[in-house]
Amino acid sequence: MRHTGSRIGAVSLRPMRPAKDFFAPLAVGAPAPLREIPARPSRAIHFFDPGNPKMAAKVPDMVGTVDVLLGNLEDAVKAENKEVSREGLVKIGQDVDFGPTQFWTRINSLDSPWVLDDLTTLVPAIGHKLDVIMVPKVQGAEDIHYVDRILAQLEAKAGLDRPILVHAILETARGVANIEEICGASPRMQGLSLGPADLAADRRMKTTRVGGGHPGYLVRQDPVDGDIEGPRTTYQQDLWHYTIARMVDACAMHGIYPYYGPFGDIADVVACEDQFRNAFLLGCVGAWSLHPKQIAIANKVFSPSVEDVRHARRVIAAMGDGTGAVMLDGKMEDDASVKQCKVMVALAEELAAIDPELKAQYDAISLED
Ligand code: GLV
Ligand code: MG
């Protein structure tokens, strides 16, 4: 009998690449995959349409004002403009010096007629500038394997000396069901973003705005004195909590990074900040920005506050070698809480290295009362 991997019912357990081959390049001459995904600040991933001359003209001035600039080729670009947008992206990639800002793109989906041309055009022309390729509508590990091999072939042909990383958008029910295998499918995997618009459509969810919720999704206080008609407080619940929490676990398990996706109601900066902050508190490192206003929101939310950094530094100082327990301001801190504090301080240091304003604020922190 031929071995095609074990099978349980209809579920096929695909054989993984053996450990010894996992970090081998997938094409002769392709750059070696990274062993660790660098924790580069990426609080806001700012989307622009490279085929829109007004937006394209603003890109050089945005360098240094946002952590990631992403040229979008997929949804929101009309079918008849796909080529113009791709050409615009090539021009921007060739002309702009991105300095400290990361340069990403979102290619068309793997079932579209445009994606192959996206990859075969972009990698030779601007592959040396592209940090990350975002792949939409990823359904399972097979989608990542497809992109992984093609990128290796194109990188080898173009003589690139570092691998382009891959970021998957989680926007189908099957993608969510396969989340762990997607994150672990390739050493190129840099992270995952929530794609709430497509995901809601795929799952038959009902939301009233992209990345937001629905006022009908709520919990209601129990009846007071058994009076079901009487006044009771209701609280709207977050429709995205489950998905974000799964993303955080899958990404942490694989050493890659989770991101909130878009928040479509640009004028509602308050709710946008709430959604982004919930994601930050659960473990996400950034979110998408669809308008320059949202860059400021993401930068604020995904940077630890001065008070949080001060607290973290105090705990680390009080904990000495990091073992045992101490009481600080009436609260118990121990080996586990000091680890949380170290994550916070490491993030603050990464951000201070690229953001002079934050550096000044963090440098001014005094540990004295
Ligand atoms: C993003 O691509 C989304 O579908 O929300
Ligand atoms: Mg989408």
Side-chain angles (χ1 to χ4, degrees):
M1 201 182 82
R2 205 160 60 91
H3 271 276
T4 54
S6 48
R7 273 169 186 276
I8 302 169
V11 179
S12 134
L13 298 180
R14 289 180 204 88
M16 298 286 292
R17 251 188 285 166
K20 73 177 179 41
D21 292 340
F22 191 69
F23 289 100
L26 287 179
V28 176
L34 302 183
R35 296 257 162 187
E36 220 171 282
I37 299 301
R40 294 184 67 184
S42 40
R43 294 164 294 181
I45 304 169
H46 183 68
F47 274 53
F48 65 92
D49 175 356
N52 174 329
K54 241 174 91 186
M55 280 195 203
K58 289 191 185 139
V59 169
D61 289 338
M62 296 194 78
V63 168
T65 67
V66 59
D67 295 345
V68 180
L69 280 164
L70 179 147
N72 174 40
L73 304 181
E74 200 225 8
D75 291 357
V77 174
K78 282 181 90 60
E80 67 258 32
N81 292 340
K82 292 291 182 186
E83 262 132 60
V84 174
S85 284
R86 190 190 299 132
E87 282 158 21
L89 188 66
V90 167
K91 182 152 174 28
I92 288 168
Q94 286 170 340
D95 294 351
V96 176
D97 176 358
F98 287 92
T101 300
Q102 294 187 59
F103 179 41
W104 295 21
T105 184
R106 177 169 78 165
I107 56 172
N108 284 289
S109 62
L110 300 181
D111 60 358
S112 78
W114 305 294
V115 64
L116 194 57
D117 288 342
D118 291 344
L119 290 168
T120 56
T121 306
L122 299 178
V123 177
I126 54 170
H128 58 297
K129 293 271 194 76
L130 276 173
D131 294 291
V132 175
I133 290 183
M134 194 181 259
V135 183
K137 301 176 179 64
V138 171
Q139 304 262 10
E142 72 280 6
D143 289 341
I144 302 300
H145 294 158
Y146 174 83
V147 173
D148 200 7
R149 178 75 77 170
I150 292 189
L151 282 179
Q153 293 163 346
L154 293 169
E155 287 168 347
K157 197 167 163 206
L160 299 192
D161 57 11
R162 54 148 185 86
I164 299 170
L165 301 180
V166 167
H167 180 111
I169 313 180
L170 202 63
E171 46 188 353
T172 64
R174 184 149 88 81
V176 177
N178 291 332
I179 190 165
E180 283 88 7
E181 69 163 43
I182 291 170
C183 292
S186 158
R188 279 184 206 278
M189 282 301 298
Q190 180 274 345
L192 286 184
S193 280
L194 174 72
D198 273 300
L199 187 51
D202 196 51
R203 281 176 172 165
R204 295 195 197 89
M205 287 170 73
K206 283 87 191 166
T207 64
T208 55
R209 44 190 183 168
V210 169
H214 193 293
Y217 190 69
L218 50 80
V219 289
R220 186 181 301 270
Q221 182 190 8
D222 281 3
V224 180
D225 298 330
D227 177 11
I228 58 171
E229 300 299 338
R232 286 189 268 166
T233 309
T234 61
Y235 299 91
Q236 186 174 337
Q237 305 292 296
D238 185 358
L239 280 167
W240 302 109
H241 175 82
Y242 155 77
T243 313
I244 294 282
R246 283 207 66 182
M247 287 170 54
V248 168
D249 280 343
C251 287
M253 165 172 143
H254 286 284
I256 68 175
Y257 301 100
Y259 297 77
Y260 201 79
F263 188 81
D265 191 342
I266 308 295
D268 191 352
V269 290
V270 177
C272 176
E273 182 169 331
D274 290 337
Q275 288 304 107
F276 286 4
R277 180 171 297 103
N278 289 347
F280 171 70
L281 294 175
L282 271 179
C284 289
V285 299
W288 297 7
S289 142
L290 305 181
H291 185 282
K293 281 192 209 181
Q294 295 185 337
I295 296 175
I297 300 173
N299 283 356
K300 173 176 159 200
V301 167
F302 290 97
S303 307
S305 70
V306 163
E307 203 28 65
D308 285 346
V309 174
R310 177 170 181 273
H311 171 75
R313 287 190 190 156
R314 286 182 71 217
V315 172
I316 291 168
M319 279 291 292
D321 72 355
T323 64
V326 293
M327 290 300 288
L328 207 61
D329 307 330
K331 295 183 206 129
M332 189 279 294
E333 307 285 354
D334 68 359
D335 311 49
S337 52
V338 84
K339 280 183 201 149
Q340 258 189 62
C341 292
K342 284 181 178 163
V343 171
M344 182 75 79
V345 167
L347 174 60
E349 280 166 8
E350 280 156 22
L351 296 175
I354 59 144
D355 188 328
E357 221 172 280
L358 272 181
K359 180 171 163 35
Q361 289 175 26
Y362 294 154
D363 282 354
I365 294 173
S366 153
L367 298 194
E368 306 304 318
D369 284 328

